[in-house]
């Protein structure tokens, strides 16, 4: 098993990409902590995995609140004694034009998508230095190229990419690797929510298929495989990378 004896925290781990990462990491021998506000969905995931012999717990966490972040770090160390992997996956999206945003909406998207990364790394880095661990930030292709009517989400992901590269330099002397993943379309509840907010959802689905050279969005499990690569020794000499997992979506003309 690739993660035997390791302990991972996955924010937003109760659904979508986060749930797929939790399930894959657990199957590879990791102790996994789900940090999520959605206690019902987190319990669903943990109950199933625990019933199958995996070491998985859930801690109710608002990752934009510093006290909550401190608590999930402390609970992880209390239960498993160490932190080897941090996956910053929690995200929110609000597709509309910039002039239509209210200040509190801007703050909400930045707090969930970017402030959370700052807080989670700030409070886990001491433990990650001890284990020479890894950080995987879940970014987006939007952080590398633009997308219509999604400027604030794109700004948070662009900031995440830049932060990832800077932190890779800061923590390399301690053996801590920091990378991020930049998916395009992924069949998750977040994407489905975005589709329903479009003027023509059916056309949006077709457009999503057409924008990927491989003819479809990725599955959550395919993105989870990339997270496993970056979290494991398979990528032992990889740091500071913003890895597109986009089915060729960034290759269009």
């Amino acid at each position: 098993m690739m993660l035997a004896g390791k302990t991972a925290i996955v924010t937003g781990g109760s659904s979508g990409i986060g749930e797929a990462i939790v399930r894959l990491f657990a199957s590879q021998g990791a102790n996994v902590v789900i940090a999520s506000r959605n206690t019902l969905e987190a319990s669903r995931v943990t109950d199933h995995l625990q019933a199958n012999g995996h070491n998985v717990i859930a801690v109710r966490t608002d990752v934009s609140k510093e006290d909550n972040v401190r608590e999930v770090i402390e609970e992880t160390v209390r239960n498993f004694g160490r932190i080897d992997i941090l996956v910053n996956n929690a995200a929110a999206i609000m597709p509309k034009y910039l002039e239509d945003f209210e200040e509190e909406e801007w703050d909400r998207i930045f707090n969930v998508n970017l402030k959370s990364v700052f807080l989670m790394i700030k409070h886990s880095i001491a433990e990650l230095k001890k284990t020479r661990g890894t950080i995987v930030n879940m970014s987006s292709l939007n952080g590398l190229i633009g997308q219509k009517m999604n400027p604030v989400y794109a700004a948070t992901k662009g900031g995440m990419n830049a932060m990832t590269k800077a932190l890779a330099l800061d923590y390399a002397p301690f053996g801590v690797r920091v990378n991020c993943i930049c998916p395009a379309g992924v069949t998750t509840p977040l994407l489905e929510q975005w589709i329903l907010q479009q003027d023509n959802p059916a056309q949006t689905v077709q457009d999503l298929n057409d924008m990927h050279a491989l003819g479809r969005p990725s599955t959550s499990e395919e993105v989870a495989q990339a997270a496993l690569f970056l979290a494991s020794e398979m990528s032992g000499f990889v740091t500071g990378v913003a890895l597109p997992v986009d089915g060729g979506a960034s290759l269009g003309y």
Side-chain angles (χ1 to χ4, degrees):
M1 292 187 178
M2 295 172 60
L3 301 180
K6 305 286 188 182
T7 296
I9 301 174
V10 182
T11 70
S14 60
S15 65
I17 295 170
E19 178 181 349
I21 291 171
V22 169
R23 291 182 180 278
L24 181 59
F25 282 19
S27 75
Q28 291 296 319
N31 309 311
V32 186
V33 177
I34 299 172
S36 173
R37 290 188 301 177
N38 191 329
T39 54
L40 184 62
E41 286 296 290
S43 294
R44 174 184 59 82
V45 178
T46 54
D47 289 349
H48 179 266
L49 290 171
Q50 288 172 359
N52 286 276
H54 299 296
N55 294 323
V56 179
I57 64 170
V59 180
R60 188 184 186 282
T61 311
D62 181 340
V63 291
S64 69
K65 305 293 185 184
E66 189 161 27
D67 287 347
N68 279 212
V69 169
R70 284 196 190 98
E71 288 170 9
V72 73
I73 301 303
E74 291 169 0
E75 191 70 14
T76 300
V77 175
R78 185 160 44 245
N79 276 270
F80 300 119
R82 58 190 291 151
I83 302 173
D84 301 272
I85 302 161
L86 171 63
V87 181
N88 287 305
N89 171 74
I93 193 167
M94 194 175 294
K96 53 183 176 179
Y97 294 112
L98 185 71
E99 64 267 27
D100 295 328
F101 267 84
E102 300 296 334
E103 183 177 2
E104 59 268 23
E105 292 174 329
W106 169 282
D107 288 343
R108 176 175 175 269
I109 298 301
F110 265 82
N111 286 345
V112 174
N113 292 2
L114 195 55
K115 180 183 177 184
S116 66
V117 179
F118 151 62
L119 291 174
M120 289 297 300
I121 295 175
K122 174 183 177 180
H123 289 288
S124 65
I125 192 61
E127 296 297 326
L128 289 165
K129 286 178 180 178
K130 293 177 186 177
T131 60
R132 298 177 71 85
T134 59
I135 299 169
V136 181
N137 296 322
M138 192 59 61
S139 186
S140 169
L141 190 61
N142 286 6
L144 298 174
I145 61 177
Q147 183 183 51
K148 292 190 298 183
M149 228 179 107
N150 215 1
V152 179
Y153 181 80
T156 64
K157 296 305 184 178
M160 181 186 287
N161 294 350
M163 186 191 299
T164 294
K165 293 177 181 295
L167 294 178
L169 292 172
D170 287 343
Y171 299 141
F174 303 95
V176 177
R177 298 185 295 107
V178 190
N179 294 287
C180 62
I181 299 172
C182 298
V186 186
T187 51
T188 66
L190 190 65
L191 181 69
E192 291 167 5
Q193 173 192 344
W194 178 79
I195 290 170
L196 291 174
Q197 291 171 333
Q198 304 309 300
D199 292 335
N200 187 337
Q203 184 59 50
T204 300
V205 171
Q206 186 59 53
D207 291 343
L208 278 167
N209 290 338
D210 292 343
M211 71 177 274
H212 297 84
L214 294 180
R216 60 169 178 83
S218 72
T219 66
S220 296
E221 289 73 20
E222 287 168 328
V223 180
Q225 290 286 349
L228 176 61
F229 169 71
L230 291 176
S232 71
E233 289 306 313
M234 285 194 300
S235 60
F237 203 62
V238 178
T239 196
V241 166
L243 176 65
V245 181
D246 66 1
S250 57
L251 301 178
Y253 292 91

